Amino acid sequence: STRAKNYSVRGNVSKDVLEESTIEFGLRLDTSKQEMARSKANSYPFLNPPFQAAVSPTSLSETYDWMSANVGFLHPLSDTLGLSINSSVSSKPGGFSAYLDPGSGKSEKFGREKNWATDIGLSLQPSDQTGFSITAYINKIDDHQFEMPIPLSTDYYVTNAEEATVKGLEIEGFFKPADGFTFTAAYGLCESEYDKFSDLTGLVGKQLSFVPRSTLNLSLSYENESGLHAQLGTRTIGKTHYWNNTGTNNSDIQDTYTTLQANIGHKINDFEINVFGTNLTDEEYYSTLVSSLTGSPGVVGSPRVIGLSISREF
């Protein structure tokens, strides 16, 4: 079992500068105590030692303290065009891997991740019927945390790559072609790579695990004053890598796939009724790939789901 206790305090202040511009500062202090207690024993009669042997109980604890800070700047270039610049330094606490047997040669403990993120964006909204924004970003990551399976075993663990970079573009827009209708689109293009990884030098320069190359979301929604609402949309996830700890499993790649979602509902007084469907085309895909496990290539993505929901506001 794992347990985490997290405490934080934060503050934020903003100030108008240069007449119509705004600058914002934020500060946050965090402390996190991570604990893991683990024991394991196999009792299957057909397994030979050492598989029947119990794993020595493990009890580990570690406390992490860190400070996060952010600064942002908003400036209207015109009545319809705005500029934003943001930069932040943040962290994620380290911890322990619960699915790693002692004696594997890998450490159960992984370290704290530190991220310096910067973005600059432009937003254009010439009218209430249309709007557009584009944002460029770069994240410089120290001790990047990610899961790593061990070939020919059921063990996996979280490890740290000393340096990694994630950068890209995000483009979003909306258009209202008629009363009640709104079309939205969001596209993201991401370049990611391991810059330094002493444990697996073969991964240096390669795309980060679990980080897709691109994303695309399209949606058409409708809503009227009577409470009727509906939405139809697609979500496309680009090529994604899932490396194991040999760094050579080039087959562990989820190719680009698209899912279709829809819902229709109606609000009546305090009640809301919705009929919804996800992955309506029943697209076959994996959310994680682990080619080292024979017969278990990974975690299958959600199949087609159709359902009904009824809710009430109090």
Side-chain angles (χ1 to χ4, degrees):
S1 65
T2 59
R3 179 187 298 178
K5 294 180 180 179
N6 304 300
Y7 303 94
S8 66
V9 58
R10 61 182 178 180
N12 197 74
V13 62
S14 62
K15 181 177 177 58
D16 294 334
V17 296
L18 302 176
E19 296 183 356
E20 296 181 342
S21 301
T22 302
I23 189 167
E24 184 176 84
F25 297 94
L27 190 66
R28 174 170 171 156
L29 302 176
D30 285 85
T31 183
S32 176
K33 184 176 182 180
Q34 304 287 323
E35 299 176 332
M36 183 180 75
R38 181 178 187 269
S39 62
K40 175 183 175 182
N42 293 319
S43 58
Y44 298 106
F46 301 106
L47 292 178
N48 296 320
F51 299 105
Q52 286 183 324
V55 173
S56 300
T58 302
S59 180
L60 299 171
S61 178
E62 185 79 18
T63 298
Y64 299 88
D65 302 298
W66 70 93
M67 179 178 68
S68 305
N70 67 276
V71 58
F73 177 70
L74 299 174
H75 178 67
L77 300 174
S78 70
D79 292 340
T80 59
L81 183 64
L83 169 70
S84 66
I85 302 174
N86 299 281
S87 188
S88 64
V89 178
S90 60
S91 293
K92 290 196 296 184
F96 308 100
S97 300
Y99 298 97
L100 185 67
D101 289 342
S104 65
K106 301 298 179 181
S107 174
E108 295 169 303
K109 179 181 176 181
F110 57 92
R112 178 165 63 95
E113 178 181 298
K114 298 164 284 288
N115 182 22
W116 178 21
T118 302
D119 66 73
I120 180 170
L122 289 172
S123 60
L124 175 67
Q125 187 170 341
S127 69
D128 293 337
Q129 281 68 49
T130 185
F132 173 85
S133 69
I134 181 169
T135 302
Y137 66 88
I138 182 169
N139 292 358
K140 300 296 291 184
I141 308 170
D142 292 334
D143 298 322
H144 169 60
Q145 301 171 355
F146 66 102
E147 291 183 353
M148 182 74 77
I150 298 179
L152 304 179
S153 78
T154 58
D155 290 355
Y156 68 89
Y157 62 103
V158 178
T159 187
N160 296 96
E162 289 98 318
E163 297 177 9
T165 299
V166 180
K167 58 185 177 181
L169 286 174
E170 293 180 347
I171 303 171
E172 299 182 45
F174 74 89
F175 173 60
K176 297 181 178 181
D179 288 344
F181 288 92
T182 303
F183 174 75
T184 60
Y187 175 72
L189 179 63
C190 179
E191 291 280 356
S192 65
E193 67 177 39
Y194 299 101
D195 299 320
K196 183 180 179 181
F197 195 0
S198 298
D199 287 347
L200 281 173
T201 56
L203 286 184
V204 173
K206 294 184 178 180
Q207 182 178 328
L208 266 60
S209 288
F210 300 95
V211 180
R213 181 72 172 80
S214 61
T215 58
L216 174 65
N217 293 285
L218 302 174
S219 173
L220 178 65
S221 61
Y222 173 77
E223 185 173 2
N224 63 24
E225 295 180 354
S226 70
L228 177 66
H229 57 87
Q231 187 176 45
L232 178 68
T234 63
R235 178 171 174 80
T236 301
I237 305 296
K239 182 180 291 187
T240 309
H241 288 260
Y242 300 96
W243 302 106
N244 65 31
N245 78 333
T246 66
T248 60
N249 56 325
N250 294 319
S251 63
D252 282 5
I253 300 174
Q254 170 64 63
D255 288 328
T256 300
Y257 65 90
T258 299
T259 58
L260 175 68
Q261 291 73 233
N263 76 76
I264 183 169
H266 197 276
K267 293 181 179 179
I268 305 173
N269 297 323
D270 296 332
F271 288 90
E272 183 174 348
I273 302 174
N274 276 286
V275 178
F276 64 89
T278 60
N279 194 9
L280 290 173
T281 58
D282 207 20
E283 177 76 13
E284 295 183 4
Y285 66 96
Y286 290 92
S287 59
T288 301
L289 289 171
V290 187
S291 62
S292 58
L293 296 179
T294 302
S296 301
V299 178
V300 180
S302 176
R304 180 191 296 119
V305 175
I306 298 175
L308 171 70
S309 69
I310 301 175
S311 60
R312 182 186 180 186
E313 293 185 359
F314 294 94

